[in-house]
Amino acid sequence: MTAVELRYKRVILKITGEVLAGERQYGIDPATVTRFVEEIREVHELGCEIALVIGGGNILRGAEASDHGIDRASADYMGMLATVINSIALQDALEKIGVSTRVMSAIEMRQVAELYIRRRAVRHLEKGRVVIFAGGTGNPYFTTDTTASLRAMEVGAEVILKATKVRGVYDTDPLKNHGAKLFRELTHMEVLSKELKVMDATAISLCMDNKLPIIVFNVMERGNIRKVVSGQPIGTLVGVSDR
Ligand code: UDP
């Protein structure tokens, strides 16, 4: 396949922390990370500019930690730091297989990551580096889904690819209900009005206001990242249909 066959030239790939945990309940599963980065390399070699936004839910989610008595803002900062741990794991795995990367953190952490500077991030992408956005937005009360929307707009990505453990967006939870119906296409407004579990409302609104499409797809199935960037109609497309 050549770069000409790419449907999207610059993408944000949002990875929920859970994906890095593989079959585990918690933490990072090295075998899963290795398989995952190989797929990223494959797409990168096609000429696709990729920026990753990584979550932290495999280590800590602010809202859950605050339920256990930690101040919400403190818990959220802990969550943002968890995303930095995941980012370093991904960077290490990508560099080991020869992919040039930069971790850019929204929270200054000079020893392990560059500080996020928009124009520098764009330059890294233009130079063919995989950029890993760490530290979320740098603000408590937000999520890494919102980070993905924000960064997508800032760096001019054409789409957000939301990597999950299920095939796309369903009307009910497919892990609990076998009869759950998969949506092939939705508008941003439908996601908001039906309260579908795609991304949080802040993230969806930002995408809607800026007409940015989102594709939700199953990253556990090998080859799916390549299929998505080459325009194959897998998963659920949120936005104006062009497929
Ligand atoms: N977080 C935050 N601000 C941000 C991004 C993340 O406070 O801009 C915190 C928040 O506590 C969140 C945690 O970091 O629960 C981990 O991120 P997220 O829940 O989005 O990870 P995911 O569910 O995608 O693994």
Side-chain angles (χ1 to χ4, degrees):
M1 190 185 279
T2 65
V4 179
E5 290 170 69
L6 282 177
R7 168 69 182 78
Y8 302 106
K9 180 80 179 62
R10 181 175 292 173
V11 303
I12 294 280
L13 179 59
K14 161 71 213 293
I15 310 155
T16 303
E18 258 182 15
V19 166
L20 297 190
E23 296 302 312
R24 303 177 184 200
Q25 299 292 311
Y26 177 85
I28 299 169
D29 175 42
T32 305
V33 174
T34 302
R35 185 188 66 74
F36 190 58
V37 295
E38 275 163 5
E39 293 204 35
I40 293 172
R41 176 174 64 178
E42 199 184 318
V43 172
H44 180 248
E45 282 174 351
L46 298 175
C48 186
E49 294 176 3
I50 310 169
L52 306 176
V53 171
I54 174 77
N58 56 323
I59 300 172
L60 190 133
R61 281 203 180 89
E64 287 166 16
S66 77
D67 286 345
H68 292 95
I70 301 177
D71 171 77
R72 176 64 194 265
S74 300
D76 279 340
Y77 278 110
M78 290 164 71
M80 288 183 258
L81 296 184
T83 73
V84 180
I85 295 177
N86 285 335
S87 298
I88 295 170
L90 275 177
Q91 174 172 52
D92 179 77
L94 279 164
E95 297 269 346
K96 279 209 172 87
I97 58 169
V99 180
S100 176
T101 66
R102 292 288 187 274
V103 175
M104 303 194 92
S105 175
I107 296 174
E108 189 163 353
M109 221 180 286
R110 269 189 278 170
Q111 283 77 1
V112 293
E114 287 181 18
L115 185 63
Y116 170 69
I117 296 170
R118 187 187 75 83
R119 292 171 68 103
R120 192 174 279 176
V122 171
R123 191 79 191 111
H124 287 322
L125 289 171
E126 287 168 354
K127 287 193 165 180
R129 296 170 184 140
V130 171
V131 176
I132 305 166
F133 291 125
T137 62
N139 303 291
Y141 299 99
F142 286 92
T143 63
T144 52
D145 283 344
T146 302
T147 310
S149 309
L150 185 62
R151 296 290 183 250
M153 252 65 88
E154 289 186 273
V155 304
E158 294 151 273
V159 66
I160 295 177
L161 308 177
K162 165 123 174 150
T164 66
K165 286 180 152 183
V166 292
R167 281 175 60 208
V169 185
Y170 291 81
D171 57 350
T172 53
D173 186 348
L175 301 177
K176 291 183 189 147
N177 175 8
H178 288 302
K181 177 176 159 272
L182 176 74
F183 294 104
R184 308 301 312 187
E185 293 182 357
L186 288 162
T187 62
H188 296 97
M189 190 49 94
E190 282 172 325
V191 172
L192 290 174
S193 61
K194 293 185 204 289
E195 297 184 12
L196 297 170
K197 303 259 175 298
V198 179
M199 303 205 292
D200 57 88
T202 312
I204 297 285
S205 308
L206 203 52
C207 291
M208 181 167 74
D209 291 348
N210 293 280
K211 299 187 174 51
L212 188 82
I214 306 157
I215 300 175
V216 185
F217 71 104
N218 183 357
V219 77
M220 305 316 272
E221 220 169 275
R222 205 174 275 268
N224 269 0
I225 305 178
R226 183 175 48 73
K227 284 185 187 161
V228 171
V229 299
S230 59
Q232 292 188 37
I234 62 163
T236 304
L237 171 74
V238 180
V240 180
S241 177
D242 62 348
R243 66 181 193 180

